[in-house]
Amino acid sequence: HPGASEEAAPPLQQSFMIPKKEINMVSDMGKWKRSQAYADYMGFILTLNEGVRGKKLTCEYKVSEPIEKLVALLNTLDRWIDETPPVDQPSRFGNKAFRTWYGKLDQEAEKLVATVIPKHLADAAPEVAVYLKESVGNSTRIDYGTGHEAAFAAFLCCLCKIGVLRVDDQMAIVFKVFNRYLEVMRKLQKTYRMEPAGSQGVWGLDDFQFLPFIWGSSQLIDHPDLEPRHFVDEKVVNENHKDFMFLECILFITEMKTGPFAEHSNQLWNISAVPSWSKVNQGLIRMYKAECLEKFPVIQHFKFGSLLPIQPVTS
């Protein structure tokens, strides 16, 4: 009835389910692009893209209790890395200690998710936890790539769909939670020398991430003095990386790679020639759809449940 506030309304009785793979062959890709999951996922990415436009990482924004709890969850994952040092092994890459670390997450994921969601939504934990487990890399191959990153965005999207995260959490979702996730992923990549999953080498944007380049370029739209040509300037990056996710990504690449930037990161080098950040942002969104979301090797691993359904969009 109209008198009841939205807060007090009982949650919709929803039957949750364990998400599963639905894209088994290239011919299933159409199903994905028409799905409610695709529409909701892309809508979520674009909403956040608008939400951080022109804003610095260091600016003021609202930090709700669920946001704090998500950061605490990520801090736990970070602590587990410290408790699981790499092991001595003959091969340089893919340190097997990652499997031990992952095993801990596999066991604890539902409990961790339960700390973030209210009691009346406890039934959602097993469904949502699947996306968290998928977001940290593959424990067999000890690799990490944009499909894993997409699982983390899907995890956050699910938390929005069940009402744990709200519209006014947008900036904190990107600047506090996603940024902390990136820090933990970089630490995993470094510590366990993870292989890039499905990397296109110098032809890809980055070995591991994509979303921070999208949201990071949005942050820089209409910046009074930083233009795309400036991000290849070491001094500019060193002075501004704490404010801008995009520059934080560039800093990490230059720490991890040797040689001329134009050679190891050719796509980014090309992007530095684009005249404006809004053009960069639009181009990256197109590239993300084409190179990540429309690529079978990436999307075959995506899982669908009640919150991100494979069913076609109901307009």
Side-chain angles (χ1 to χ4, degrees), residues 33-44:
K33 282 186 255 182
R34 288 188 295 273
S35 71
Q36 190 64 50
Y38 182 90
D40 290 346
Y41 179 86
M42 209 53 225
F44 181 66

Side-chain angles (χ1 to χ4, degrees), residues 149-214:
E149 178 189 72
F152 192 75
F155 166 67
L156 297 172
C157 182
C158 288
L159 292 174
C160 287
K161 294 197 91 173
I162 61 175
V164 171
L165 297 173
R166 296 168 183 267
V167 175
D168 58 356
D169 287 315
Q170 281 180 41
M171 284 171 66
I173 289 172
V174 180
F175 292 171
K176 245 191 140 44
V177 180
F178 194 81
N179 204 42
R180 185 72 186 102
Y181 164 75
L182 284 177
E183 290 169 359
V184 178
M185 292 309 104
R186 286 175 185 139
K187 186 165 168 176
L188 279 179
Q189 290 153 19
K190 263 187 183 161
T191 306
Y192 304 122
R193 309 282 311 245
M194 297 178 79
E195 300 270 13
S199 162
Q200 298 151 319
V202 294
W203 304 113
L205 185 68
D206 176 81
D207 279 343
F208 297 110
Q209 314 295 157
F210 204 114
L211 292 173
F213 292 95
I214 295 179

Side-chain angles (χ1 to χ4, degrees), residues 272-293:
S272 72
V274 175
S276 73
W277 284 110
S278 65
K279 285 267 188 292
V280 170
N281 186 246
Q282 290 158 12
L284 286 172
I285 290 165
R286 278 197 307 271
M287 185 178 171
Y288 185 59
K289 288 179 182 168
E291 298 302 320
C292 301
L293 301 185

Side-chain angles (χ1 to χ4, degrees), residues 34-100:
R34 288 188 295 273
S35 71
Q36 190 64 50
Y38 182 90
D40 290 346
Y41 179 86
M42 209 53 225
F44 181 66
I45 299 301
L46 295 174
T47 299
L48 294 174
N49 190 56
E50 281 311 300
V52 301
R53 188 184 174 124
K55 303 279 201 301
K56 292 180 174 183
L57 285 169
T58 49
C59 74
E60 298 265 310
Y61 49 83
K62 177 190 156 242
V63 179
S64 63
E65 198 181 340
I67 293 284
E68 295 284 17
K69 288 175 171 170
L70 281 165
V71 173
L73 181 159
L74 291 164
N75 290 344
T76 300
L77 302 190
D78 190 329
R79 193 183 72 244
W80 289 348
I81 301 174
D82 296 332
E83 292 167 6
T84 319
V87 294
D88 274 333
Q89 60 175 44
S91 65
R92 254 176 78 204
F93 287 94
N95 194 281
K96 289 179 181 58
F98 175 73
R99 293 182 183 146
T100 310

